[in-house]
Amino acid sequence: TKQRQTPSKTPDTPNLHLATKEQLMAELEKRLDEEREQEVESEDFDEEDALEDNPNRWVRGQFPERVVIVGGGPAGMASAIYAARAGLTPLVIAPSMGGQLQGKGVDVENYPGLHNMTGPGVIASMRSQAAKFGAVFEEDMVVSVDASTRPLKVVTNNTGAIETHTIIVATGADSKWLGIAGEYELRGGGVSSCATCDGYLFSGRHVVVVGGGDTAMEDALVLARTSKKVTLIHRRDTFRASKVLADRVKNNPVIDIQWNTVVEKIEGKPLNSEGEEIDLDDESVVTNVVSGVVLKDVVTGETRNMDCDAVFVAIGHSPNTRFLEGVVEFDTYHTGYIKTDGRSTKTSVPGIFAAGDVSDAVYRQAITSAGTGAAAALDAERYLSEEGLGNEAAEFEAELLAELAGEMNGESSEKIGYNVYEEAGGRLEGIRESVAAGSEL
């Protein structure tokens, strides 16, 4: 008969069935400690790997940020480029999906110096340039700002609170859409919210404008210069636009007004590629274009079809500024837009600046946004210099070396922390910041 062989036990293997309760608890605690150490090591390795893969990824430091830019569009990227070149190492907080230009699949044709580039391509180029000069990025959403203390605090969805001396708000303004069938699917294929941007693409063709305010009047007049025909769709029997603009639209022979009418659906057709190969896996490639709209009379309820080549939705914009409610002053004439001081980008709160469409209810162009983004970075840099809010890390190191030198000479020092607002000479009265050596945010 074969004898059963039992596995040999190594001296390190505990006999748990013979152990006391105290020994079992000690062994359990030991194993838990080992697991925690492995998790910490794994997290450290993951962070190191992430930094190797993305050297421009933000890592929380010991001191407050000097500049935090909220938004990743043209205004935010221009701010990042200028702030980075000034040696401020700006932190850009923005979700990866981007804003209006990021979602624009067709070529951007009205930005000087850029040819055959889509909206995402433009943003990617700007981001790469900012990263080259030292900007760092965090893909997150800002949910609130605390300006009651100094440094300022930016609270995000996932990262938490981030302390900073200045904030540049560049979150843009989203176009309001109709929410009808075909509208989303045909964006970039004839559906647009910017006549100035895309109107030239439909020169000599029939286009539709939807809306009844000043924006719709302006878009219709712009399109009337280049289009064969402009049909203006309005759900009421009177315009809410200013009388001057409304009269110009009514008297323009190219513009036809459809009163008491709404667009029920936007119809499309396959793009005639004229023998060119189309990569169907490329989401930026337009495969369908606008062919017409389904209209409904709100009085009679009757529906009818109308052929057209493009639909421009002009029912307004909504600035992404809700996270600043109760923090900064807003424009009393344009709901949701941030009020700035004169021609500067300064808001009602020192250290907070606004750039791009969040404070521009008139132009709303990528190039004007980039211009105000550069201005905001310059304003932020000047504010930091005037308030003496420089590189805390270098200043703290210099102060620490001075203290060590004093101790070596037999002098004593009672100061144990570095207070940047105290060093600023009390210009921000009643506001204090104290960062001790080795402390964390």
Side-chain angles (χ1 to χ4, degrees), residues 61-65 163 392-394 396-397 418 433 435-436 439 441:
Q62 180 181 354
F63 298 95
E65 302 297 325
E163 292 187 330
E392 286 86 353
F396 178 72
E397 182 179 354
Y418 176 71
E433 176 207 50
V435 182
S439 63
L441 294 178

Side-chain angles (χ1 to χ4, degrees), residues 100-122:
Q100 291 192 73
L101 198 59
Q102 180 76 6
K104 188 177 177 66
V106 297
D107 287 351
V108 176
E109 298 185 340
N110 61 349
Y111 199 104
L114 299 181
H115 302 279
N116 301 320
M117 291 186 69
T118 63
V122 172

